[in-house]
Amino acid sequence: MTTYTTRMLILGSGPAGLSAAIYGARAGMKPILVQGIQPGGQLMTTTDVENYPGFADVIQGPWLMEQMQKQAEHVGTQLMYDTVVEVDLTQRPFRLIGDGGDVYEGDVLVIATGAQAKWLGLDSEDALKGKGVSACATCDGFFYRGKKVAVIGGGNTAVEEALYLTNHSPDVTLIHRRDSLRAERILQERLFAHKGVTVLWNKEVDQFVDGGGTAGLVAIDLIDTVTGEKSRLDTEGGFVAIGHHPATELFRGHLKLDEDHYIWTETGSTRTNVPGVFACGDVMDKVYRQAVTAAGTGCMAALDAERFLAEMEFELAEAAE
Ligand code: NAP
């Protein structure tokens, strides 16, 4: 059992955590970054990335994360492979405890544990992920330009994704399991007014249909939730937009979470309700959820953390005089 101590402790190794590490290291905070169960985060399971600025050609998600990791290490971040099972935020230094008993202590803590898209849990969905089935229209919609696409869900995300897809596709279908949407009224009005969108009410996905060979998704089989009637919708893109799980279980009871279990942060900053603890990336952002916005809030967290430490050190120096 070893105790590791640093000024800046970071939990999570997606674009948010690694960006916080790059800025934190360059500000002299000697970050220790604990990588968590899925090093690299959601981009490790993404293939083509075409929307991360700075790369004229299509890049691969895992390659991008490898580069960010190397960059964080080159500027002085210590990367640790561990799964944190317990936290103590009641006093500084804050403590994270790994499953093997190792302890990580930091004068400030940056939480970047991310979120996972919810899936329907169908075998056919699993088989066609990346071959027509996706959980992010903003990331993958462009690959379906000119094609028929469908979005599953009835919340803000589903409606925003359906509207976003109309930029690329002349024929967008929204599939919802009930007869009314959960999304905000203004989004609903925009959706219903759009000629390129059809809404299928009271429909659940029975299965995603594989065209065989290299075809990928060719249709979605549906079941009517009221009548039980079966139908088929021809489509080449199926976007599952039924919500996300922010990875906040570890912090329940230790930090303020919002009504959707995301870490609450002060508007316009990454400050949580515990001074010295900062949150960035998808664990606090349920609106944008992009690699570039995660990286942006990671940078904000490092700047907020650096200012916090500078203020603390200034106060200590004044008290000592
Ligand atoms: P959400 O509000 O939880 O909506 C999830 C939708 O998926 C619901 O319509 C739900 O149906 C449906 N659904 C859930 N499980 C399903 C299943 N197994 N099969 C079929 N449909 C299923 O999720 P969200 O839209 O991602 O939004 C999450 C939070 O982020 C919300 O607070 C939202 O307001 C916020 N958000 C805000 C913005 C913005 O401010 N621009 C953008 C995106 C998200 P039911 O309605 O039948 O339950």
Side-chain angles (χ1 to χ4, degrees):
M1 215 187 78
T2 312
T3 298
Y4 300 90
T5 303
T6 176
R7 294 180 77 207
M8 183 193 204
L9 186 56
I10 303 169
L11 181 61
S13 51
L18 288 167
S19 300
I22 292 162
Y23 274 79
R26 297 189 78 254
M29 290 189 281
K30 296 191 169 35
I32 289 180
L33 184 151
V34 184
Q35 305 222 45
I37 331 172
Q38 193 186 350
Q42 292 177 70
L43 275 180
M44 296 304 283
T45 53
T46 306
T47 49
D48 292 355
V49 177
E50 226 175 31
N51 57 5
Y52 198 85
F55 302 96
D57 297 322
V58 178
I59 52 168
Q60 299 297 300
W63 177 84
L64 178 62
M65 295 322 298
E66 194 187 308
Q67 294 299 310
M68 280 192 206
Q69 204 179 77
K70 283 186 183 158
Q71 189 180 0
E73 282 183 305
H74 286 164
V75 290
T77 306
Q78 193 180 351
L79 297 181
M80 311 298 296
Y81 294 85
D82 205 344
T83 304
V84 171
V85 290
E86 215 183 307
V87 300
D88 181 359
L89 309 182
T90 56
Q91 56 185 3
R92 290 197 302 123
F94 303 115
R95 283 158 65 89
L96 304 179
I97 296 136
D99 61 356
D102 286 342
V103 176
Y104 306 90
E105 292 185 340
D107 293 330
V108 289
L109 171 65
V110 172
I111 302 168
T113 46
Q116 289 287 343
K118 287 186 194 164
W119 294 95
L120 296 166
L122 303 167
D123 290 344
S124 56
E125 173 187 62
D126 220 28
L128 285 166
K129 273 181 201 166
K131 297 174 198 149
V133 176
S134 160
C136 181
T138 320
C139 320
D140 299 331
F142 190 66
F143 300 123
Y144 297 89
R145 42 192 191 278
K147 298 181 177 171
K148 280 182 77 170
V149 294
V151 177
I152 298 112
N156 276 352
T157 305
V159 173
E160 282 186 349
E161 298 220 324
L163 288 168
Y164 173 79
L165 286 167
T166 61
N167 294 322
H168 305 301
S169 165
D171 188 341
V172 179
T173 304
L174 183 80
I175 300 164
H176 184 40
R177 63 182 176 184
R178 293 187 296 121
D179 62 359
S180 64
L181 298 174
R182 187 183 287 278
E184 283 166 44
R185 181 68 46 195
I186 182 151
L187 284 173
Q188 295 198 26
E189 282 166 10
R190 247 176 254 158
L191 185 87
F192 297 145
H194 204 295
K195 289 192 173 61
V197 183
T198 308
V199 182
L200 290 182
W201 301 106
N202 299 321
K203 298 279 187 286
E204 255 173 9
V205 176
D206 187 26
Q207 67 157 342
F208 293 96
V209 182
D210 190 339
T214 54
L217 180 77
V218 290
I220 301 179
D221 282 345
L222 302 166
I223 300 186
D224 192 293
T225 54
V226 179
T227 63
E229 193 185 321
K230 295 194 171 188
S231 58
R232 176 167 283 196
L233 175 76
D234 291 333
T235 187
E236 289 178 74
F239 294 89
V240 179
I242 60 170
H244 286 76
H245 288 296
T248 51
E249 289 77 15
L250 206 51
F251 301 102
R252 218 163 269 176
H254 300 276
L255 276 181
K256 182 170 163 186
L257 306 181
D258 74 9
E259 65 286 358
D260 294 314
H261 313 294
Y262 287 77
I263 295 181
W264 175 91
T265 51
E266 233 174 78
T267 306
S269 90
T270 61
R271 286 189 289 272
T272 70
N273 67 312
V274 175
V277 178
F278 305 89
C280 53
D282 287 11
V283 76
M284 49 74 82
D285 166 26
K286 58 188 173 195
V287 176
Y288 303 104
R289 297 191 184 111
Q290 299 302 300
V292 66
T293 50
T297 55
C299 162
M300 286 167 64
L303 298 180
D304 287 343
E306 202 274 328
R307 275 175 209 149
F308 175 84
L309 283 178
E311 275 165 26
M312 293 303 295
E313 280 153 19
F314 179 73
E315 280 169 25
L316 281 176
E318 279 217 314
E321 274 173 15

